[in-house]
Amino acid sequence: MPTILENILFLIICSLKQTKSDMLHERSFLMAKKNVFLHFLSNYIVVLLLFFTLFVMGPSEIFFGNYKEFGFVYQEFGWKFLIFAFLISFIFTLVISFFPDKLGKYILSVFWGIGIAGYIQTMFLNRHLEQMGARAEAYTASPSKIIVNSIIWATIIFGALLFAKFQQNIFKKVMLTSSLIILGMQCVGYISLFPSADKSAFTYYSDKDELILDGSKQFTVSSNDNIILFILDNFSSTYLASAVEKYPDLKDFLHDFTYYNNADCNYHGTYPSLPHLLTGNDLDPSLSVDDWLEDCWTNTTTNDYFSILSDANYKVNLYTPTTSILTGNHSLPLLDGKISNITTKQSSICIDYHKLYKTMFYMSCYRFMPEYFKSFFDVSNATYTSIVSYPENTILHANYDFYNHLIENGLTTDSSGNYFIIQHLNGTHEFTTDENCQFDAQNATCQSTVKGIFTMLEAYLNELKTLGVYDDSTIIITSDHGDVEYPQIIFFIKEKQESHESLNGTNAPITLDELVPTIVQSLDKDYSEFGYSIHDFYPDQQRERLLYIRDYDASYPDVPRYDGISSGGSNVYHLYNYTGNIDDQINALQNYQYTTIPMVDSYF
């Protein structure tokens, strides 16, 4: 007996193409229905290739490769995308049936050409494409790369059209066979993603004792003494110089500060820079990510550092969106006893489904699209890190979110002790902030983003002054790293009771190695155990400095990612050794003056 679907398709298509009696005149009713159904099915498979890649394989591979970063489980979008892919393919195939056979054939060939080109782009042309918001600027590719990539896409699509025109019968077989083969391979790959993931990809962790950072006091300072550390992600000193050209009075409100314009981050990348910055522990490339992070938080020197802070009655409150950079697979108990704002996880969770669906689709398109269109689908890390929130425990990371909350609610004070506040904000990790510190992804530039950040900082300092705690606060404004081409960072410091009419400046050659000793020195404690402070270096001093930049080198073996989900995006560190200022550093970078150090595993 003919199926209901066959009957429906037959009647719809017959009404569009020709009358039912015409079809019956050519062949038997059952044979006509079978041919129509098979023709529709073959077209459906070709259309499905495109939508299965975009809505199923792309989002699924991205999710399972990064699910520990996202914070939501596969069920939130996976099955919906799967159903949608089959449904939208059916609709498009049906629409194609509305057109005359000749036109429908060309439309189908375009679907097939795009599907094949996108598959080739994803599998072979996206070598080491960063997926998770690793750049400050939107995605860009060199003109030559865009041209070559466009030629590949155009050749495939126009080749499909010509093939359909001159080799119609062969082309139908080629289309169907290739679509079936690729869909089959993708289905096998899709199924294989599930057993390779652990239960946290499918089930929210509900252990009542799970620890997270508490964001409830992100806008609370001590009414006594404060050490306030702003870590503005990916903030290169060259970004600041560019912004000052447009906004000459940009830094005027920092008149009580000293600016170190020759500051080195030691390590490019939030990992390993952030744990180094917070603990003072130097990277050991011979250790795995987990082993090094454990050593960061448990070694004797780190224990002594946090003991000094505790003895001085300081609560260390850390606000950062991604704690795995600090803990690896160990989770937050590794920091317990050192970081004060650690609490048990709240049960309530809020998911922005519109942002979730759009983000996963955009990330898939970002992989799938040719080079020219990738920038239109590049997703900022501030977007995907804000999909999931805990209403009872929100940590604000985006510049504009932090600023808007500050303006609306101000700061509050706590007299129970001193505060060491660490605000890790998005900084210039993406240029998405306007000069008024509002979100503007379309028109924002490097200069406007910097201006917006300084608008935010000025508002924060004004709040400290209003509360009467500014003078007794040590305030440091810096970054974990700069841009990969210009890695030197900003570094401003105002020490307790420091005051002058205009911003001081120095080119003393400092690094983030000196941050922990400087903080200990600010407490009038002996800091010799921790190394040199920034005050131990003088202007124009010639100092040899080292800079680690993670990279991929095909002559070295791939390494696993720290969480075991996939291979690491990097496999070596390039260690640069230079003496002098930013020009000497850039010269070393541009002339590849590095030593290669293989990784054990990779965080990213």
Side-chain angles (χ1 to χ4, degrees):
M1 292 292 292
T3 65
I4 295 175
L5 181 59
E6 285 177 347
N7 282 326
I8 293 172
L9 289 174
F10 179 70
L11 291 172
I12 292 174
I13 296 173
C14 282
S15 66
L16 296 169
K17 300 289 188 182
Q18 51 191 329
T19 66
K20 183 174 177 181
S21 60
D22 290 334
M23 295 288 289
L24 290 171
H25 188 264
E26 296 174 10
R27 63 195 73 185
S28 71
F29 179 62
L30 292 177
M31 183 62 71
K33 281 194 294 184
K34 181 178 180 181
N35 288 341
V36 168
F37 182 73
L38 291 176
H39 179 70
F40 184 91
L41 182 61
S42 65
N43 290 352
Y44 179 76
I45 290 170
V46 173
V47 174
L48 181 62
L49 171 62
L50 170 60
F51 290 113
F52 191 87
T53 304
L54 271 178
F55 286 99
V56 182
M57 276 309 294
S60 297
E61 286 186 326
I62 292 165
F63 173 79
F64 284 109
N66 302 281
Y67 61 85
K68 293 186 179 179
E69 305 289 333
F70 285 125
F72 51 84
V73 298
Y74 187 71
Q75 291 90 314
E76 300 290 5
F77 75 96
W79 309 126
K80 301 169 189 176
F81 274 33
L82 181 65
I83 293 170
F84 182 77
F86 283 97
L87 180 61
I88 196 70
S89 298
F90 179 85
I91 293 172
F92 269 89
T93 307
L94 196 59
V95 169
I96 291 172
S97 302
F98 291 2
F99 295 98
D101 287 339
K102 190 173 183 179
L103 180 57
K105 173 185 67 177
Y106 291 131
I107 295 173
L108 195 67
S109 69
V110 171
F111 269 89
W112 180 79
I114 294 174
I116 294 296
Y119 178 77
I120 292 172
Q121 180 76 44
T122 301
M123 296 299 296
F124 305 108
L125 303 180
N126 287 342
R127 293 295 294 171
H128 308 295
L129 180 72
E130 291 276 11
Q131 187 71 45
M132 299 290 287
R135 295 172 307 279
E137 67 281 2
Y139 178 84
T140 56
S142 65
S144 59
K145 187 175 183 180
I146 291 174
I147 291 171
V148 171
N149 191 252
S150 298
I151 290 173
I152 293 172
W153 273 75
T155 300
I156 293 172
I157 294 172
F158 286 112
L161 285 167
L162 291 174
F163 200 5
K165 179 177 177 63
F166 296 109
Q167 299 290 336
Q168 182 174 351
N169 292 331
I170 298 175
F171 180 64
K172 286 182 179 179
K173 294 179 182 178
V174 171
M175 266 200 317
L176 179 60
T177 302
S178 59
S179 297
L180 279 171
I181 291 172
I182 295 174
L183 275 172
M185 291 189 299
Q186 289 190 328
C187 285
V188 171
Y190 175 65
I191 294 170
S192 69
L193 293 172
F194 291 84
S196 62
D198 61 39
K199 65 179 182 179
S200 63
F202 310 103
T203 306
Y204 289 112
Y205 192 58
S206 59
D207 188 341
K208 64 178 180 170
D209 295 324
E210 183 184 1
L211 299 180
I212 60 171
L213 292 177
D214 181 3
S216 62
K217 293 188 176 181
Q218 187 171 7
F219 294 87
T220 300
V221 298
S222 173
S223 57
N224 302 311
D225 291 346
N226 293 280
I227 301 172
I228 302 171
L229 173 61
F230 279 97
I231 304 171
L232 304 170
D233 212 310
N234 198 75
F235 204 139
S236 170
S237 61
T238 57
Y239 292 171
L240 177 61
S242 174
V244 169
E245 290 180 3
K246 184 172 182 179
Y247 309 102
D249 59 350
L250 180 75
K251 300 179 291 183
D252 286 357
F253 72 94
L254 295 172
H255 54 82
D256 294 327
F257 286 72
T258 299
Y259 179 51
Y260 285 78
N261 61 25
N262 188 13
D264 192 289
C265 61
N266 298 114
Y267 309 102
H268 184 270
T270 306
Y271 177 91
S273 184
L274 188 60
H276 163 253
L277 189 152
L278 297 182
T279 66
N281 197 49
D282 290 332
L283 177 69
D284 185 346
S286 69
L287 297 178
S288 67
V289 169
D290 280 350
D291 287 346
W292 179 67
L293 288 174
E294 182 177 17
D295 182 59
C296 277
W297 293 99
T298 60
N299 70 76
T300 301
T301 304
T302 299
N303 288 337
D304 289 346
Y305 170 52
F306 282 95
S307 292
I308 289 172
L309 291 168
S310 178
D311 292 343
N313 198 28
Y314 274 89
K315 299 177 181 178
V316 183
N317 292 335
L318 168 64
Y319 304 101
T320 184
T322 307
T323 57
S324 59
I325 287 179
L326 302 174
T327 65
N329 290 307
H330 295 294
S331 72
L332 278 176
L334 187 63
L335 281 60
D336 206 12
K338 296 180 172 69
I339 302 301
S340 305
N341 63 318
I342 293 178
T343 186
T344 54
K345 191 172 186 178
Q346 303 295 322
S347 58
S348 59
I349 182 172
C350 181
I351 296 177
D352 186 333
Y353 284 98
H354 173 75
K355 186 179 290 186
L356 168 61
Y357 301 148
K358 181 179 178 180
T359 297
M360 297 309 296
F361 175 64
Y362 268 44
M363 282 186 164
S364 181
C365 288
Y366 176 73
R367 291 183 355 139
F368 183 91
M369 291 294 177
E371 297 293 340
Y372 178 80
F373 292 104
K374 285 191 186 297
S375 62
F376 297 101
F377 298 98
D378 196 3
V379 175
S380 68
N381 64 355
T383 297
Y384 70 76
T385 56
S386 61
I387 292 172
V388 176
S389 61
Y390 297 89
E392 302 168 24
N393 184 60
T394 300
I395 290 179
L396 299 180
H397 181 62
N399 310 321
Y400 34 84
D401 289 338
F402 185 91
Y403 174 73
N404 289 333
H405 187 283
L406 177 67
I407 293 301
E408 183 177 350
N409 301 285
L411 298 176
T412 59
T413 58
D414 175 13
S415 61
S416 63
N418 302 320
Y419 271 38
F420 181 4
I421 303 165
I422 304 165
Q423 304 279 11
H424 177 209
L425 302 179
N426 202 40
T428 51
H429 212 298
E430 291 97 15
F431 303 146
T432 57
T433 306
D434 71 12
E435 60 187 21
N436 297 311
C437 205
Q438 299 302 306
F439 178 74
D440 186 3
Q442 297 301 317
N443 302 305
T445 64
C446 173
Q447 293 172 324
S448 73
T449 299
V450 172
K451 174 59 175 172
I453 291 169
F454 275 60
T455 297
M456 172 192 73
L457 293 172
E458 184 174 13
Y460 192 94
L461 298 187
N462 286 339
E463 277 291 311
L464 295 178
K465 293 173 182 177
T466 299
L467 294 173
V469 299
Y470 174 81
D471 291 337
D472 287 333
S473 296
T474 297
I475 305 169
I476 300 172
I477 302 167
T478 187
S479 180
D480 50 351
H481 61 90
D483 179 76
V484 69
E485 295 181 353
Y486 304 100
Q488 283 209 343
I489 56 174
I490 62 168
F491 193 97
F492 295 87
I493 184 170
K494 183 203 80 72
E495 302 194 70
K496 187 175 180 180
Q497 299 299 328
E498 182 177 2
S499 176
H500 26 83
E501 292 184 359
S502 61
L503 176 69
N504 288 340
T506 176
N507 65 357
I510 67 167
T511 76
L512 289 179
D513 274 337
E514 285 81 69
L515 181 63
V516 166
T518 300
I519 290 171
V520 174
Q521 184 185 33
S522 73
L523 300 175
D524 295 325
K525 303 294 183 182
D526 179 10
Y527 62 90
S528 59
E529 176 187 359
F530 309 99
Y532 297 103
S533 86
I534 60 173
H535 302 296
D536 293 324
F537 299 93
Y538 52 85
D540 299 321
Q541 180 178 353
Q542 294 298 296
R543 177 190 181 190
E544 182 180 77
R545 287 178 286 180
L546 301 177
L547 171 66
Y548 288 77
I549 297 182
R550 70 176 188 272
D551 208 339
Y552 182 86
D553 189 329
S555 62
Y556 285 80
D558 287 353
V559 298
R561 209 167 76 171
Y562 83 100
D563 53 15
I565 291 177
S566 62
S567 294
S570 308
N571 63 349
V572 298
Y573 288 107
H574 287 157
L575 175 59
Y576 294 85
N577 185 315
Y578 72 99
T579 301
N581 57 22
I582 186 171
D583 294 329
D584 299 291
Q585 184 191 67
I586 292 171
N587 180 67
L589 291 170
Q590 293 179 343
N591 290 285
Y592 308 105
Q593 297 172 3
Y594 59 75
T595 301
T596 301
I597 301 175
M599 292 180 177
V600 175
D601 58 1
S602 174
Y603 179 84
F604 294 101

